[in-house]
């Protein structure tokens, strides 16, 4: 175990630990974040769901495959080791491929849910969205497709 006094002091003063998803979501909503990065897939997805530009640091095949499938901005851990500044990380955070492939991914997802008798939830970045004039709040579950 490597012990670094400065790192320990920083973590002691700045770390956040959450015991509920609501507490975590509130922190992301009200924290004034402009960028997120990390190797934890679902933690990054939560940041992205709150409208925070996010970069995935892929460190294993599972994270790599998920990020590639969804066309999410990503770099390998090896690339991350050579990064010298936050600005460099932000340069990697490009959503052009994500946006280009999103409609097809969304249709595939809806098809999967239809075929498996599940419901579809609509939300974007933790904010309400409008679907054909219907205002949908984040916490609402809209039951659209049910297979018999």
């Amino acid at each position: 175990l490597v012990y670094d006094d400065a790192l320990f002091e920083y973590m002691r003063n700045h770390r956040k630990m959450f015991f509920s998803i609501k507490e975590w979501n509130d922190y992301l909503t009200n924290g004034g974040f402009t960028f997120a990065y990390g190797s934890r897939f679902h933690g990054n997805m939560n940041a992205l769901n709150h409208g925070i530009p996010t970069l995935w640091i892929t460190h294993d095949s599972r994270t790599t495959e998920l990020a590639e499938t969804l066309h999410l901005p990503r770099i390998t851990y090896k690339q991350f080791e050579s990064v010298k500044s936050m600005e460099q990380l932000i340069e990697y955070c490009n959503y052009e491929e994500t946006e280009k492939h999103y409609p097809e991914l969304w249709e595939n997802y809806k098809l999967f849910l239809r075929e498996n008798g599940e419901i579809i939830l609509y939300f974007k970045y933790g904010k309400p969205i409008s679907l054909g004039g219907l205002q949908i709040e984040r916490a609402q579950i809209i039951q659209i497709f049910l297979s018999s």
Side-chain angles (χ1 to χ4, degrees):
L1 180 66
V2 176
Y3 182 80
D4 180 310
D5 288 336
L7 177 61
F8 178 78
E9 191 62 24
Y10 180 85
M11 293 298 292
R12 189 169 70 80
N13 292 323
H14 294 90
R15 75 174 180 265
K16 299 291 181 197
M17 182 178 278
F18 305 102
F19 297 97
S20 75
I21 191 71
K22 182 186 179 329
E23 184 182 4
W24 185 17
N25 287 339
D26 289 346
Y27 183 74
L28 289 172
T29 299
N30 302 315
F33 296 101
T34 57
F35 180 65
Y37 68 95
S39 62
R40 306 305 298 174
F41 186 83
H42 291 90
N44 285 345
M45 289 302 288
N46 199 22
L48 180 62
N49 186 43
H50 284 81
I52 302 166
T54 306
L55 177 68
W56 277 256
I57 313 300
T58 58
H59 65 289
D60 62 11
S61 62
R62 183 187 69 87
T63 306
T64 300
E65 289 171 8
L66 284 167
E68 285 176 355
T69 298
L70 297 173
H71 302 276
L72 297 168
R74 64 200 172 276
I75 61 174
T76 65
Y77 188 76
K78 185 136 186 92
Q79 287 173 295
F80 178 70
E81 289 179 318
S82 66
V83 169
K84 303 286 187 237
S85 69
M86 188 61 69
E87 289 75 20
Q88 233 182 321
L89 278 179
I90 292 170
E91 285 177 22
Y92 285 111
C93 196
N94 182 325
Y95 280 89
E96 286 178 15
E97 286 297 307
T98 311
E99 291 170 0
K100 176 180 164 186
H101 293 278
Y102 185 83
E104 177 187 358
L105 290 168
W106 177 240
E107 290 305 316
N108 288 343
Y109 181 61
K110 289 192 303 187
L111 179 62
F112 170 82
L113 292 175
R114 276 189 208 112
E115 290 174 352
N116 291 283
E118 297 296 326
I119 57 175
I120 294 184
L121 310 177
Y122 287 94
F123 59 90
K124 182 174 182 178
Y125 306 128
K127 297 177 177 64
I129 62 171
S130 178
L131 294 174
L134 175 64
Q135 190 71 15
I136 298 172
E137 298 295 329
R138 171 191 185 95
Q140 288 180 311
I141 299 175
I142 306 303
Q143 187 172 352
I144 296 182
F145 303 107
L146 282 178
S147 61
S148 49

